[in-house]
Amino acid sequence: MYRLGARSGSLSRSAATIALRNGFQTNKPHQCRQLSELYFKSIEADGSKKPQPGPKPQPAPHLTSIPAVKVSNRSSQPEKPSESHSYKHSQIDDQKEAETYIHELHTQQWGKDETWLRFNSLSWQSRKCLRSIDFNRTLSLLRGSDNSSKRTYGAPTSQTLARMMNVHDTAISAGVAADRYTYQEMIAINAALMDFDKARSWLSEMLKKGVKPSIMPYRTLLKGYSKVPAEIDNARQLWQDIKSRAASGQIILGKADENTDGTAIDVKTYTCILGAECKAGYFTQALGILDEMTAAGITPDIAVRNVILNGVAGHKGLDAALEEADMMKESGLALDGYTYNILVNCAISEGRIDDIKRLLAEAAEKGFMPSVKVVQMLPLDPIETVDVMAKSGALDTIRIYNTLIRASMKHNRFTQALQLVAHLRKHHVRPNIVTYGLLLDALNKAGRLDQAKKMFSDILEKGTVKPDLHIFSTMIDACGRNGDIDDMFVLKSQMASHNMHSEEVIYNSILSALSRQKKVDLQMVMKVVDELVKCKPPIRPTVRTFNPVIAAFASKSRTDGLSSSELQFLKTWYARISDKYYVVKDTYLYGLAMEAFANSKHLEDAMLVYGEMMRHSETDGSVLWTFTGSSKLVEILMQLSIEQQQFDNVMKLWRDWNTLRTHVSESIVKLVLYACDQGGLFNVAQDIVVSLLTPSNTSPAGSKNTSSGVVHGTEFNPKAVGEGALALYIGMAIKHDMVDSIVPTMDMWRISVLTPNEPVSAKAPSLADVRMQLSNAGSGRRLSVDTVRNIVQLLLQNNSVSKNKVEAAGDITDQVLAFVDKHFPEAVPV
């Protein structure tokens, strides 16, 4: 492992490194590449040492031989310095940790989740060793600034912003000042989330602190404005600011290219303001900007004209768009595929069939195929579309078929996709590997396994095309979905004969199939996992790999339970999700892991998973969907906690359940009341019952916010207190000598099903009137004879202390029977 020059337990600070930490600037065009290049330059300047390759990867040990690791309790919040820090790691260990992080940060392409987990695993002392360039590279990877990250992980979310703010705050706490790259990333993420006020405030802060910006943050913010027509005034104001600062040399405009000499505003920035004007429908102003471009020596290319064409099509319709396209041709520009997408889409929106056919034919003649998104909206029969576009012969016919088949698949029109295949065969069009892949996928999703197998056999026997990974993965998935486990493994074994290695998608399909079996074979699941971790080249599993594995253990735990070896495997595999593979857990994984541990009576592990999920929910609320979607899981955890006399767990679950404003079932209420009874918390139980039975506008003061915090957030929900919960509460009242609350609680229970805005007063009408009201409410209360008999027996048995208690019990018994006789006469015991 290379060194950054450790001296006295800290990183050396050469002139190059100090310059980087204080905001070393360069004019490279791409953020990720800039940071990596600067990093390597700093290493070379710091003793002329180039980074050495890391240690050779060691073969993965057998998973079942790894000792169980407890679930990590690391918080997702930034680690703060503490005066009582025990220095578990020495300064040298912290330095090594930082060196490893820095080296891998700049030499590997991490995803968003892996970047976050790796950064979050650093100790505070290690984070203090990071430089400005390292924090900026981390921000760039978290945002996913490259196009491949956007395709893989999707657009940035509020969670992305929370993570980036965490990194930024950590940098400030470590004494690392923000430079223009830092501000650039923060402006970009806020603009992507359409929080333009916040993005503008970051820009203002950068200028206020004297950091000279490049054109990039201005262009990013301007591009964000261009997507929202209502922001046109802000876009214009920003545009004037850009021109003013560019003229006075207050903006770094970038390096020279074919359209600019590096001292003027570039074509990309002009395109952004053009897009804003055209999106809002101000074409006169757009023409003025075009004149400015020409005067600046920039010739508008096809991309610029397409921006204008898109605005014309949206505001003025197809005829005006066609005129604009003709002017583009007259100016010497060749229309491209995006141009035809705009025109065809506009013709579709206006329902002009003839123009659609003409534009499709023209596009095909020039070798362009509309996008799948446009093809999906075509009001033409797919066969007719083939006929229209295949006439010229300029466009490969099989490409037309493939696009139409893919569009049919997007709409789950599998029959239509099969009809297209029949049509191409009828006209002797030779399918390619893409066609076969699409067709097998259609047969798989249509549940036609036999046809898919026959087609796959024909591919192998006739050698028409060479099967690729997609073909094999589709067939393996098809066999797995239909429960054909034997053929699934046969297909996997055939891959080697075609010089193919199993990849993540193959293992995902196999593990999913094994987890869906009625009787899960955990030994087979563990064998597949063991094979996966030993693969050469290594395969990095994703959450789609982990979910079916945990699901298999959860399924087995519901019926047969888990053995000690299976539990150790589960603990190890769960711990490695974040600690080794840097995969962020999702809602299904948390739910399945909790269920597997709880069903196996491992309460400690189940609650550790629960605690990790709740901490994760502070930055990503979606991880709670499975947990809050049904009360089943919280009931399992509460029941297990009661069995193991961990009543604090029950109260914690109840507090969280209330905080989440989740539906409360009677089963949960009964478990909570029982935990209160065992823990000697009758007052808390009383507050819970009162809160559930009393509308907020009529509840007694303080009844919904006790000092214990357990009842805080409990909302009016009378259906959660059924006959069983009421009987349990009355039994607790008798046990804890609170018999005076029995009759008032029963009356509250009786009238609580009425509309909250119409509570029954003390001067209630007759029993018949009340019953009529309850009937009209649609959920009248009913008491059974057995419940009343049990209450009376408990009251009469609670007389072992003194004569006064006997008399009191007799009085309360008479009151209860009188109440039942008046309101529930059918429940009076004989």
Side-chain angles (χ1 to χ4, degrees):
M1 177 65 68
Y2 73 97
R3 302 284 176 175
L4 290 180
R7 296 173 186 172
S8 302
S10 62
L11 297 178
S12 66
R13 294 291 184 263
S14 66
T17 306
I18 294 173
L20 285 168
R21 180 169 186 135
N22 293 332
F24 184 72
Q25 297 180 351
T26 185
N27 293 331
K28 298 294 180 181
H30 298 294
Q31 175 76 349
C32 291
R33 190 174 65 198
Q34 288 171 344
L35 298 174
S36 295
E37 289 174 354
L38 288 176
Y39 163 72
F40 286 120
K41 288 179 182 178
S42 71
I43 297 300
E44 293 172 2
D46 195 8
S48 301
K49 294 181 181 180
K50 294 185 178 180
Q52 300 298 319
K56 295 182 179 180
Q58 299 297 322
H62 195 288
L63 196 58
T64 55
S65 66
I66 302 174
V69 183
K70 285 192 174 181
V71 178
S72 173
N73 281 323
R74 186 181 297 277
S75 172
S76 62
Q77 300 301 319
E79 185 179 351
K80 298 295 182 182
S82 173
E83 295 180 359
S84 60
H85 183 48
S86 63
Y87 292 99
K88 179 179 179 181
H89 300 286
S90 67
Q91 291 184 346
I92 295 178
D93 291 335
D94 293 325
Q95 179 185 322
K96 288 181 178 179
E97 184 181 42
E99 289 175 359
T100 303
Y101 177 83
I102 292 170
H103 174 70
E104 295 179 351
L105 175 70
H106 293 277
T107 57
Q108 299 179 13
Q109 189 63 37
W110 296 337
K112 296 180 182 180
D113 291 341
E114 181 175 357
T115 304
W116 169 246
L117 290 173
R118 284 179 179 269
F119 176 82
N120 203 42
S121 67
L122 292 175
S123 67
W124 170 250
Q125 295 299 323
S126 296
R127 295 183 192 187
K128 288 173 66 177
C129 296
L130 302 182
R131 306 159 300 171
S132 176
I133 191 173
D134 306 319
F135 282 110
N136 290 339
R137 168 72 171 172
T138 302
L139 289 173
S140 179
L141 291 175
L142 286 174
R143 184 171 68 87
S145 56
D146 60 311
N147 291 329
S148 61
S149 293
K150 293 176 183 177
R151 287 192 297 269
T152 305
Y153 299 98
T157 63
S158 58
Q159 182 188 45
T160 308
L161 175 61
R163 291 175 175 179
M164 292 178 68
M165 285 300 302
N166 183 297
V167 174
H168 174 266
D169 294 344
T170 302
I172 299 301
S173 299
V176 180
D179 61 12
R180 67 184 179 91
Y181 290 110
T182 310
Y183 287 112
Q184 184 172 305
E185 291 297 335
M186 301 312 296
I187 291 169
I189 182 61
N190 283 281
L193 296 175
M194 301 297 178
D195 190 351
F196 300 121
D197 291 339
K198 190 63 178 177
R200 195 65 187 256
S201 70
W202 280 104
L203 182 60
S204 299
E205 181 183 327
M206 175 170 58
L207 299 174
K208 183 178 180 180
K209 291 191 175 181
V211 179
K212 187 175 182 180
S214 69
I215 192 64
M216 184 71 75
Y218 284 95
R219 184 194 303 153
T220 300
L221 185 53
L222 192 59
K223 186 176 181 180
Y225 283 143
S226 70
K227 298 176 181 179
V228 185
E231 297 287 345
I232 184 60
D233 291 336
N234 288 326
R236 290 169 177 170
Q237 181 183 355
L238 183 63
W239 173 242
Q240 295 302 323
D241 192 18
I242 291 172
K243 292 196 292 184
S244 173
R245 292 182 178 277
S248 59
Q250 298 179 47
I251 298 179
I252 302 171
L253 293 172
K255 70 176 187 178
D257 56 24
E258 64 274 11
N259 288 316
T260 178
D261 59 2
T263 61
I265 300 173
D266 60 5
V267 65
K268 293 180 180 179
T269 310
Y270 275 110
T271 304
C272 290
I273 185 61
L274 269 173
E277 296 287 1
C278 294
K279 185 83 171 179
Y282 294 104
F283 298 105
T284 303
Q285 288 82 347
L287 291 175
I289 295 171
L290 276 178
D291 293 339
E292 290 183 28
M293 288 180 64
T294 305
I298 300 176
T299 303
D301 57 11
I302 187 64
V304 174
R305 297 298 294 270
N306 278 340
V307 170
I308 299 174
L309 177 65
N310 195 30
V312 170
H315 286 276
K316 296 188 175 182
L318 181 60
D319 292 332
L322 291 173
E323 291 180 9
E324 178 65 25
D326 290 337
M327 288 190 288
M328 292 166 65
K329 295 176 184 177
E330 292 172 2
S331 63
L333 292 174
L335 306 188
D336 62 7
Y338 186 62
T339 310
Y340 284 106
N341 276 340
I342 295 171
L343 295 173
V344 173
N345 190 46
C346 186
I348 292 171
S349 64
E350 296 183 14
R352 295 168 61 166
I353 304 299
D354 292 338
D355 288 309
I356 293 172
K357 293 180 180 179
R358 180 178 60 80
L359 289 168
L360 288 175
E362 184 178 332
E365 187 176 352
K366 294 184 179 181
F368 298 119
M369 182 71 202
S371 66
V372 174
K373 184 177 180 180
V374 173
V375 171
Q376 286 181 120
M377 299 185 294
L378 286 174
L380 305 176
D381 182 79
I383 306 302
E384 186 179 6
T385 304
V386 172
D387 295 337
V388 169
M389 300 194 71
K391 283 183 180 179
S392 66
L395 190 63
D396 190 0
T397 307
I398 192 59
R399 183 182 170 192
I400 301 173
Y401 278 106
N402 289 345
T403 305
L404 291 168
I405 292 171
R406 187 175 281 110
S408 299
M409 296 285 292
K410 290 280 186 180
H411 281 296
N412 294 328
R413 297 171 181 166
F414 308 122
T415 303
Q416 187 180 81
L418 298 176
Q419 289 174 350
L420 282 165
V421 173
H423 186 269
L424 72 87
R425 285 177 172 173
K426 179 180 178 181
H427 290 78
H428 307 291
V429 178
R430 185 176 180 179
N432 59 15
I433 189 65
V434 176
T435 315
Y436 280 113
L438 291 169
L439 180 56
L440 288 172
D441 195 24
L443 291 171
N444 175 20
K445 292 177 178 176
R448 303 183 183 182
L449 179 61
D450 293 336
Q451 288 180 258
K453 285 183 177 180
K454 185 177 184 306
M455 177 171 290
F456 182 75
S457 298
D458 291 342
I459 293 173
L460 296 181
E461 292 174 3
K462 297 179 181 179
T464 309
V465 294
K466 184 179 179 180
D468 60 3
L469 180 66
H470 176 67
I471 295 288
F472 272 102
S473 65
T474 301
M475 285 303 304
I476 288 172
D477 184 64
C479 291
R481 287 178 183 274
N482 289 273
D484 194 346
I485 303 300
D486 292 337
D487 280 356
M488 179 180 71
F489 282 107
V490 169
L491 286 166
K492 179 180 177 298
S493 64
Q494 289 179 351
M495 293 179 65
S497 61
H498 290 81
N499 299 320
M500 279 185 284
H501 298 285
S502 296
E503 295 190 7
E504 180 215 342
V505 63
I506 302 295
Y507 285 103
N508 291 351
S509 296
I510 292 174
L511 291 170
S512 296
L514 293 174
S515 68
R516 285 193 297 263
Q517 290 183 289
K518 291 183 179 180
K519 188 173 179 61
V520 177
D521 186 353
L522 275 189
Q523 294 302 315
M524 181 60 70
V525 172
M526 291 188 286
K527 181 179 178 181
V528 172
V529 171
D530 188 59
E531 180 182 322
L532 184 151
V533 299
K534 291 180 177 179
C535 279
K536 299 293 182 182
I539 295 176
R540 172 164 291 179
T542 64
V543 71
R544 293 185 178 182
T545 314
F546 290 103
N547 276 343
V549 175
I550 307 299
F553 281 86
S555 177
K556 175 82 180 312
S557 70
R558 296 183 197 117
T559 54
D560 304 326
L562 300 177
S563 65
S564 58
S565 61
E566 291 169 345
L567 275 169
Q568 177 162 326
F569 185 100
L570 175 60
K571 291 180 184 180
T572 305
W573 188 241
Y574 180 85
R576 298 181 84 184
I577 294 174
S578 299
D579 295 345
K580 179 177 177 61
Y581 296 109
Y582 302 103
V583 173
V584 173
K585 304 175 182 71
D586 64 7
T587 179
Y588 305 107
L589 198 149
Y590 282 123
L592 292 167
M594 278 188 285
E595 184 181 3
F597 284 126
N599 289 337
S600 303
K601 308 300 182 183
H602 277 245
L603 178 62
E604 181 182 359
D605 293 306
M607 292 304 295
L608 283 172
V609 176
Y610 172 79
E612 183 181 358
M613 178 190 69
M614 295 304 295
R615 290 191 297 273
H616 190 174
S617 69
E618 295 174 6
T619 56
D620 182 8
S622 67
V623 299
L624 296 173
W625 289 348
T626 298
F627 181 72
T628 59
S630 170
S631 61
K632 176 183 177 182
L633 192 52
V634 72
E635 289 175 19
I636 293 174
L637 292 174
M638 285 183 172
Q639 183 67 48
L640 182 59
S641 298
I642 289 173
E643 290 176 5
Q644 299 187 11
Q645 298 186 354
Q646 299 292 325
F647 304 115
D648 288 344
N649 286 344
V650 179
M651 307 317 293
K652 172 179 173 55
L653 290 164
W654 172 255
R655 283 194 299 268
D656 293 342
W657 198 255
N658 277 323
T659 303
L660 296 171
R661 292 292 191 271
T662 311
H663 173 70
V664 177
S665 67
E666 183 181 8
S667 300
I668 292 177
V669 173
K670 288 194 287 187
L671 290 168
V672 173
L673 292 178
Y674 183 81
C676 289
D677 174 62
Q678 297 299 302
L681 302 173
F682 177 77
N683 290 337
V684 174
Q686 185 177 30
D687 288 335
I688 290 173
V689 172
V690 170
S691 296
L692 290 170
L693 295 179
T694 310
S696 57
N697 59 341
T698 61
S699 58
S703 64
K704 291 205 173 190
N705 192 357
T706 65
S707 59
S708 67
V710 175
V711 189
H712 181 67
T714 303
E715 295 185 338
F716 175 69
N717 185 6
K719 292 183 179 180
V721 186
E723 183 181 2
L726 176 68
L728 179 59
Y729 171 78
I730 293 174
M732 292 173 60
I734 297 171
K735 175 182 176 181
H736 295 276
D737 295 327
M738 299 293 290
V739 293
D740 291 341
S741 67
I742 294 177
V743 174
T745 302
M746 293 179 70
D747 191 52
M748 190 186 305
W749 178 78
R750 176 182 64 88
I751 65 176
S752 62
V753 292
L754 296 176
T755 307
N757 295 329
E758 300 176 355
V760 177
S761 65
K763 297 181 180 179
S766 65
L767 177 61
D769 293 334
V770 173
R771 282 182 174 170
M772 183 165 49
Q773 284 182 294
L774 295 174
S775 178
N776 291 336
S779 56
R781 296 291 197 183
R782 296 290 184 270
L783 274 179
S784 67
V785 175
D786 289 340
T787 298
V788 176
R789 181 184 294 113
N790 290 335
I791 293 172
V792 172
Q793 288 177 351
L794 285 173
L795 285 168
L796 295 177
Q797 291 171 4
N798 190 39
N799 58 3
S800 59
V801 179
S802 67
K803 181 179 179 181
N804 291 333
K805 276 202 169 186
V806 176
E807 294 175 355
D811 292 341
I812 296 299
T813 303
D814 293 340
Q815 293 177 27
V816 170
L817 289 174
F819 177 86
V820 174
D821 184 49
K822 181 178 179 181
H823 300 292
F824 303 96
E826 69 280 0
V828 176
V830 178

